Amino acid sequence: MTLLESVQSPADLKRLEHGELTRLADEIRTFLVDKVSRTGGHLGPNLGVVELTLAVHRVFDSPRDAVVFDTGHQAYVHKIVTGRRDGFDGLRTKGGLSGYPSRAESEHDLVENSHASTALSYADGLSRAFQLRDARRHVVAVVGDGALTGGMCWEALNNIAADQDRPVVIVVNDNGRSYSPTIGGLADHLAALRLRPGYEKALESGRRALQQTPVVGKPLYAALHAAKRGIKDALSPQIMFEDLGLKYLGPVDGHDLRALEAALHRAKAFGGPVIVHAVTRKGNGYAPAENHEADQMHATDAMDPVTGEPLVAKKTSWTSVFSQELVKLGAEREDLVAITAAMRGPTGLQPFADAFPERSFDVGIAEQHALTSAAGMAMGGLHPVVAVYATFLNRAFDQLLMDVALHRQPVTVVLDRAGITGSDGASHNGMWDMSILGVVPGIRVAAPRDAVTLREELREAVAVSDGPTVLRFSKGGVIPELPAVERVGQVDVLRRGESRDVLLVAVGAFAKLGVAAAERLADQGIGVTVVDPRWVTPVPTELVGMAAEHRLVVTVEDGGRHGGFGWALAAALRDADVDVPLRDLGVPQRFLDHASRDEVLAELGLTAQDVARRVTGWAAGLLGDTSVDEAALPAAEDADHR
Ligand SMILES: Cc1ncc(C[n+]2csc(CCOP(=O)(O)OP(=O)(O)O)c2C)c(N)n1
Ligand SMILES: CC(=O)[C@@H](O)[C@H](O)COP(=O)(O)O
Ligand SMILES: [Mg+2]
């Protein structure tokens, strides 16, 4: 039996000697590369926290002590040592292990939300609860240097530091990177600390030497200890944390188990808020990750475990089309600037940064700041393009509403990963953006259906000078072109119905799905006109006229039904007294378990076949004159919704 097979719980870890722990760490790294190279996942971050996670679980007593991981993408080792090693063949797959902590999987897991910079707020809350309910329980929050650039962390630190009696241990996992090197003053501060390795060791050995010196030793130590503050001022800049009221321990080598355990034992014994600054390396122990320039394999697809090369060539993505067009626009418009929240690579802004470095800004994992800073840039005469994943816009809603829209500032927000993303689980699906954007006065939201309309609508968006514009598109391979047969006003007609039974309004990438469903329905004698609104907010007025010419309106969107496009169109029809039945298809108001995008869409009935079935049923019921044998509908197609 390997050591890895012998560890089913943290208790098993505590029985191991240090030599065994070093072997176990090696076995875990081999295991991670073997498994994640098959399934894909966050290989780099997890290779970087092997020793750190082992040390936390040896010093503290999860689940009695609460262990919280910020963002949660670095919790694979935590899962391995809490009895879930056997689940890694199904990592991030339907019914398999989640790629993030999961309360349903284990009592050791607390936070499932993969949005960064929340761990310290949970730690504040948990420690307040323990203070009232069971003061012997500790809270340990593992937070990355990237996550620390998020504002919530500082709101939490302000609260944690206010109470010196709450035993909150904050383990800063400092690998110097989010995807790319972490930016900002804090990052520089941490880097400065990293550059003073062994600060604690120096103090420790000095203390020991003085205390063993007869007669003068102890008083001299006492004097020096009192002067330590001055020494710290002079010798190391962690005074920032201590000025905040947080004891600081570190920097500690985050791959040295003994050093980590010693620091964590000191932190545990301290009994108040304390930072343990662990210096780690993303991808540690696996050369293809350590040497992966862009992001040290932050998030990888299935790959060759030896070379680290992807096994499947990437299709042309929505992101790459956006990226290329933005560079062209940047050459045409000197007022155009690009803002990322620590995701320059994944959101396609790197080429723009390469071409126009002085017009490219990385604000850290700080979407709220990104939006309001963009409002400031716009007030200063620029046209910012802020690129974020759709789900992360949730965090910056108030800034978009009250800092950008209220002041009618020309900011373009580009939402990548809009719609169902799937394998990253519930908090990553871009399913809320159209619902929340629908309430923003003066905003304009576009949902391109293919590469051609993405380029077109991006240009239309940055041409708007009197308010915010938004573009939203899916994860993955882009539809090269889905041509329109006609453009009515700003609405593209993709297919004219043989009769005017149904107007099918398909939003964004679902245009292809809409056309496929219409073809199926035509075979059943149901005439379906398919249109792409292009700009979904405000609802195009042309749609009201088109609806009035049909007997049934159906909308389909890769976004939440509640407050989504379908609901907005229904309201527009009501306001115009157009009394045509409307049925809306979209993502239900549920947190969706992880699975592939196609599996989730199939589960939700958002496939061409399912849409055709639903419309058939409605047509039969509402239109009365179409008796269709649903069983006669052709078999399910390959689930290609892109
Ligand atoms: C609010 C939010 N914005 C962006 C992301 C995307 N994201 C996931 S992990 C990550 C980098 C995290 O860096 P760090 O906290 O240093 O952890 P590391 O991966 O380096 O261990 C980012 C930007 C996110 N999860 N949440
Ligand atoms: C943890 C996190 O938020 C990101 O790493 C995310 O998992 C990346 O998603 P994509 O793989 O879609 O870029
Ligand atoms: Mg980091």
Side-chain angles (χ1 to χ4, degrees):
M1 174 187 279
T2 64
L3 281 168
L4 184 55
E5 288 163 338
S6 72
V7 172
Q8 288 298 336
S9 74
D12 296 332
L13 279 182
K14 296 177 194 243
R15 284 192 280 272
L16 296 179
E17 298 302 321
H18 270 281
E20 292 171 311
L21 286 165
T22 305
R23 280 193 4 246
L24 174 64
D26 292 342
E27 289 180 17
I28 289 174
R29 280 197 168 84
T30 304
F31 176 88
L32 285 173
V33 171
D34 174 46
K35 299 297 181 186
V36 181
S37 63
R38 298 167 204 260
T39 61
H42 291 91
L43 183 57
N46 284 283
L47 288 169
V49 295
V50 175
E51 290 81 8
L52 186 155
T53 308
L54 296 180
V56 165
H57 278 298
R58 279 171 52 84
V59 173
F60 293 92
D61 302 305
S62 173
R64 175 177 167 66
D65 292 332
V67 180
V68 177
F69 291 91
D70 196 285
T71 317
H73 60 300
Q74 76 293 52
Y76 296 2
V77 182
H78 163 78
K79 292 197 173 199
I80 290 169
V81 301
T82 52
R84 288 169 274 178
R85 183 187 68 250
D86 294 337
F88 274 81
D89 288 326
L91 181 66
R92 295 158 52 97
T93 62
K94 184 179 172 69
L97 213 52
S98 165
Y100 299 87
S102 162
R103 300 167 68 89
E105 286 177 14
S106 170
E107 61 180 345
H108 294 277
D109 291 11
L110 288 166
V111 176
E112 302 183 1
N113 175 18
S114 63
H115 291 198
S117 315
T118 64
L120 302 190
S121 295
Y122 282 104
D124 178 56
L126 283 159
S127 64
R128 289 181 192 279
F130 293 166
Q131 194 172 45
L132 292 173
R133 306 293 300 270
D134 182 350
R136 292 160 302 170
R137 298 178 70 179
H138 286 81
V139 179
V140 184
V142 178
V143 58
D145 55 300
L148 270 181
T149 59
M152 271 184 76
C153 281
W154 296 91
E155 295 168 25
L157 283 173
N158 185 41
N159 281 274
I160 290 168
D163 184 344
Q164 292 300 307
D165 298 328
R166 279 191 278 138
V168 179
V169 175
I170 297 164
V171 181
V172 174
N173 170 30
D174 178 12
N175 53 29
R177 301 177 78 104
S178 286
Y179 282 76
S180 46
T182 304
I183 63 92
L186 175 81
D188 298 343
H189 188 80
L190 288 175
L193 287 171
R194 281 200 298 274
L195 293 176
R196 285 175 175 70
Y199 166 78
E200 284 295 317
K201 279 182 188 159
L203 279 189
E204 193 57 27
S205 52
R207 184 177 65 80
R208 268 201 303 276
L210 282 171
Q211 290 192 329
Q212 286 153 12
T213 307
V215 184
V216 296
K218 281 195 169 41
L220 184 55
Y221 172 73
L224 273 180
H225 189 74
K228 190 164 91 173
R229 193 173 186 74
I231 293 172
K232 280 193 171 183
D233 266 332
L235 288 182
S236 76
Q238 85 263 5
I239 199 72
M240 172 184 83
F241 291 115
E242 296 199 337
D243 277 352
L244 271 174
L246 297 159
K247 178 158 179 64
Y248 169 90
L249 297 176
V252 182
D253 177 348
H255 301 296
D256 177 339
L257 262 163
R258 286 182 192 279
L260 279 168
E261 287 189 33
L264 289 171
H265 276 301
R266 288 181 62 196
K268 184 175 181 180
F270 180 63
V274 52
I275 283 184
V276 176
H277 178 191
V279 179
T280 64
R281 183 171 185 179
K282 209 165 197 173
N284 190 63
Y286 179 58
E290 289 181 353
N291 304 323
H292 189 275
E293 275 302 304
D295 63 17
Q296 294 184 320
M297 288 194 179
H298 175 87
T300 178
D301 293 324
M303 62 177 198
D304 179 312
V306 176
T307 63
E309 290 304 316
L311 294 182
V312 179
K314 286 214 176 206
K315 298 179 181 174
T316 304
S317 64
W318 294 87
T319 312
S320 60
V321 173
F322 157 64
S323 178
Q324 290 158 17
E325 195 63 15
L326 189 68
V327 171
K328 289 180 188 165
L329 279 164
E332 299 163 20
R333 296 263 305 260
E334 288 194 352
D335 63 330
L336 221 55
V337 294
I339 301 175
T340 179
M343 296 180 78
R344 182 171 278 145
T347 58
L349 292 183
Q350 190 59 52
F352 185 95
D354 296 339
F356 314 105
E358 75 288 353
R359 288 194 267 151
S360 173
F361 306 103
D362 178 352
V363 298
I365 310 180
E367 287 82 1
Q368 295 168 318
H369 169 70
L371 267 294
T372 304
S373 177
M377 291 180 196
M379 288 175 179
L382 298 176
H383 189 120
V385 174
V386 183
V388 295
Y389 283 9
T391 187
F392 302 139
L393 177 69
N394 300 352
R395 178 162 287 180
F397 171 72
D398 187 66
Q399 288 75 15
L400 178 59
L401 179 69
M402 292 300 174
D403 296 316
V404 180
L406 174 65
H407 302 110
R408 296 184 180 77
Q409 291 304 307
V411 173
T412 295
V413 180
V414 173
L415 300 180
D416 198 330
R417 274 51 171 194
I420 297 298
T421 52
S423 52
D424 263 315
S427 56
H428 256 79
N429 290 307
M431 54 187 272
W432 295 283
D433 55 287
M434 286 193 284
S435 301
I436 61 177
L437 293 174
V439 303
V440 179
I443 202 165
R444 302 168 178 87
V445 180
R449 66 171 182 274
D450 58 17
V452 172
T453 50
L454 199 170
R455 295 187 192 97
E456 191 178 71
E457 289 157 30
L458 176 61
R459 286 184 172 273
E460 291 167 16
V462 299
V464 172
S465 58
D466 64 351
T469 50
V470 179
L471 242 70
R472 70 174 320 254
F473 49 76
S474 306
K475 175 172 184 173
V478 69
I479 299 164
E481 183 176 13
L482 183 57
V485 295
E486 184 187 356
R487 178 163 288 181
V488 177
Q490 62 143 29
V491 173
D492 278 351
V493 179
L494 306 181
R495 182 187 187 280
R496 280 273 178 223
E498 296 70 12
S499 61
R500 293 190 169 181
D501 292 333
V502 181
L503 175 67
L504 178 54
V505 189
V507 172
F510 273 11
K512 184 173 182 181
L513 176 157
V515 170
E519 298 302 333
R520 291 164 180 270
L521 290 160
D523 295 345
Q524 306 297 323
I526 299 173
V528 182
T529 301
V530 184
V531 298
D532 165 15
R534 295 184 343 102
W535 289 83
V536 292
T537 302
V539 171
T541 52
E542 297 89 346
L543 288 181
V544 175
M546 290 179 178
E549 296 167 352
H550 289 78
R551 302 167 67 198
L552 168 65
V553 178
V554 177
T555 62
V556 61
E557 58 197 293
D558 190 2
R561 280 189 65 217
H562 279 62
F565 172 76
W567 286 25
L569 178 55
L573 297 186
R574 280 196 304 274
D575 292 349
D577 292 329
V578 171
D579 185 17
V580 175
L582 182 149
R583 295 292 180 272
D584 61 284
L585 294 169
V587 179
Q589 192 165 336
R590 285 197 337 243
F591 292 115
L592 303 170
D593 288 340
H594 63 278
S596 73
R597 169 177 160 83
D598 284 347
E599 285 170 332
V600 175
L601 292 175
E603 210 174 275
L604 300 178
L606 293 173
T607 67
Q609 185 197 16
D610 292 321
V611 170
R613 282 184 187 285
R614 300 292 299 275
V615 174
T616 302
W618 291 324
L622 289 165
L623 307 185
D625 55 6
T626 316
S627 59
V628 173
D629 171 7
E630 286 197 26
L633 282 174
E637 60 177 350
D638 59 300
D640 175 11
H641 315 286
R642 289 176 193 78

